[in-house]
Amino acid sequence: MATNAEIAGRFEEFADLLEADDVEYKPRAYRRAAENVRAHPSPIADYVADGDRETIEEIDGVGDAIASKIVEYVETGAIEELEELRAELPIEIADITRVEGVGPKTAGKLYRELGVETLDDLEEAAQAGEIREVKGFGPKTEENIRENVAFAREIGQRYLLGEARPLADDVLAFLEGLDAVERCEVAGSIRRWRETIGDVDVLVGTDANESVIDAFVGWDSVDGEIESGAEKASVRVGEIRVDLRVVSPEEFGSALQYFTGSKDHNVSLRNYAIDRGMKLNEYGAFDVSEVGDEEAGQRVGERVAGESEAGMYEALGLSWIPPELREDRGEIVAAESGDLPTLLEHEDVRGDLHSHTEWSDGNTPIEEMVAAAEARGYDYYGVADHAEGPGIVGGMGLSDTEILEQVEAVREVDAASDIAVFAGIEANVDATGEIGLSSEVIEALDIVVASPHSALDQDAETATKRLVRAVENPAVDVLGHPSGRMLNERSGLEFDATELAIAAVEHDTALEVNSNPRRLDLWGSAVQAAVEVGAPIAVNTDAHRPSTLEYIRWGVHTARRGWAEPDDVINTWELEELRAFLD
């Protein structure tokens, strides 16, 4: 059954192809619908199955025409109008526009001028020096395209965590409902909460392999079987591959540890075991201290652990290591010495300090966003709409006058609310590190989130100086999505995370983990660099509508990948402590 992400992807393709064909206005409507479909909290395909057309049309940006296309796609797997557009413009638009600097209009022009339809065509044209000859292009553009094709190919093979994890949750719910399943868990990179994944790996402990595999392959959500055998099966759900492996319940723990990875973590852990006369593999932990060199095999030696994952670590004298930490960044040494962090949990978060409303590029009034935050049990909430500046498209940024007007509106909502509401702004960090706010505006605000939105191709040294200058600004409370990256779209700024973190400590500026699944910026290793020097962290959603407050899930796990504890994160603090930090 089609997922919300898959449906949204079709409308994003619609928008891109229309824009490539120089159609105005319609692309924006399709993009708005795609964004709201993707963020919708419930599976839209269920509404189609129930014949609930009314609820579909109630989704913001989805009127009668788009609702009809949703129904058509869910029921048939295709949209006739989109197929016709594909025939007119046979461009692999998603692949080509993954190349940084190549948008839909560029893709359309290169198709018309050079016949570029695929990523291979684009690379060949760049290598042959043909792009520079097209009007409006030049050697630098051609060079940028040539340099970014490899990155575009790499990201095209992976899915966002925010797209794949909900599917993984559905798979687990289905398998856990089978009588033959004794134990069940996701494995691989999705269990480590990496920002992108290649496929969904699921592990089941059972003594009834055939029954479980047959049920899995026959699951209603499966769109196609890839392969199946006695111990594993692979299917396609929407566009995502799901791999199932079944093991004996007695070996579930060792298999879970082994297949969770990462590869680097497992190699280091196996070497740690070898030094202690132990052997680790997917079948268990074995004491091989008395085993001769002539004996070989996966199950050689005395099996001392394997039924539980925690037992695999305990057999080596180690504390259980949370999956998010298993990247070979010091976690084994910390587990040996008892110094593993007490990681941030969802319930530790007391509020959100970066969100948007209908005043800029959100689509919800302040009151409704605050009510949604209150419904989540938050103690405080920050409105941070966009200020005018570079990288803000479509005139969505607020002028100084409009910011001051919004501050008054926020004060009224704050006075009427049971939670504290902060008047903030998302200022733009320009290419030099300036934020472009007047002293009058700064004085009126409770919080300034400063974020880069443009000039994202700077070299690492320049980018680091730019971001350091921003955090040194006494007006800046939070550096928002520091790299400006968009996963599977653009790489964003490269910078020295440690140097930035040291500056953040010195100037009491928090570094943001932006929870939007297309950003997850900062990422795990950068968060760890910040935590190691004591830099404050803020885990925010960058929500543009109430449903996207749910993005906090992705941000919390990303912060956990960086070893963040509750006290490291400013929006876990009590209200008065947070106020003191912001003052």
Side-chain angles (χ1 to χ4, degrees), residues 242-440:
V242 183
D243 294 330
L244 169 71
R245 183 178 295 268
V246 293
V247 300
S248 164
E250 290 75 25
E251 295 176 343
F252 182 84
S254 52
L256 183 61
Q257 192 285 318
Y258 180 86
F259 289 112
T260 293
S262 67
K263 179 181 177 181
D264 290 342
H265 172 82
N266 282 355
V267 168
S268 293
L269 193 66
R270 286 200 299 270
N271 289 336
Y272 185 90
I274 289 169
D275 291 343
R276 288 154 181 79
M278 300 284 289
K279 177 179 181 178
L280 298 185
N281 55 40
E282 62 190 279
Y283 306 107
F286 300 87
D287 183 343
V288 293
S289 58
E290 304 299 324
V291 174
D293 293 340
E294 70 281 359
E295 295 188 57
Q298 295 283 10
R299 293 181 171 88
V300 169
E302 179 188 358
R303 186 173 186 266
V304 297
E307 187 169 350
S308 75
E309 186 180 57
M312 294 290 289
Y313 289 95
E314 289 170 4
L316 301 176
L318 301 175
S319 304
W320 177 77
I321 299 175
E324 295 97 326
L325 302 187
R326 300 181 198 175
E327 300 293 347
D328 197 29
R329 297 202 303 259
E331 67 274 12
I332 294 174
V333 172
E336 180 183 39
S337 61
D339 291 329
L340 285 171
T342 302
L343 294 176
L344 175 72
E345 301 283 354
H346 291 93
E347 54 267 27
D348 296 321
V349 177
R350 295 175 179 268
D352 196 323
L353 304 176
H354 178 183
S355 68
H356 297 266
T357 75
E358 63 182 3
W359 281 68
S360 65
D361 60 340
N363 63 359
T364 306
I366 298 170
E367 295 86 350
E368 291 183 26
M369 294 298 292
V370 171
E374 188 172 346
R376 293 183 65 83
Y378 284 163
D379 296 333
Y380 42 80
Y381 183 73
V383 175
D385 275 308
H386 287 289
E388 292 177 333
I392 302 304
V393 179
M396 291 291 189
L398 304 182
S399 66
D400 281 6
T401 299
E402 290 169 326
I403 293 171
L404 295 173
E405 290 174 356
Q406 191 190 54
V407 168
E408 293 305 311
V410 170
R411 298 288 180 238
E412 292 178 9
V413 175
D414 177 41
S417 300
D418 292 330
I419 66 173
V421 185
F422 294 115
I425 200 70
E426 184 178 10
N428 300 283
V429 178
D430 71 14
T432 67
E434 292 294 327
I435 64 169
L437 295 179
S438 69
S439 57
E440 182 183 10

Side-chain angles (χ1 to χ4, degrees), residues 129-183:
E130 296 174 350
I131 292 175
R132 68 178 66 193
E133 303 300 329
V134 177
K135 185 178 180 180
F137 294 81
K140 184 175 181 181
T141 300
E142 185 177 74
E143 182 183 356
N144 288 339
I145 289 173
R146 188 167 54 244
E147 290 178 350
N148 284 292
V149 166
F151 176 73
R153 279 206 176 90
E154 178 184 345
I155 63 177
Q157 304 304 312
R158 301 187 67 81
Y159 297 92
L160 300 182
L161 174 67
E163 296 171 345
R165 183 70 207 207
L167 169 58
D169 294 340
D170 290 344
V171 175
L172 287 179
F174 169 74
L175 292 170
E176 288 168 352
L178 301 179
D179 292 339
V181 172
E182 294 188 27
R183 303 173 70 182

Side-chain angles (χ1 to χ4, degrees), residues 513-534:
V513 175
N514 188 295
S515 303
N516 186 312
R518 293 189 166 191
R519 291 191 183 275
L520 299 183
D521 175 13
L522 296 169
W523 49 91
S525 60
V527 174
Q528 188 175 2
V531 167
E532 285 176 351
V533 300

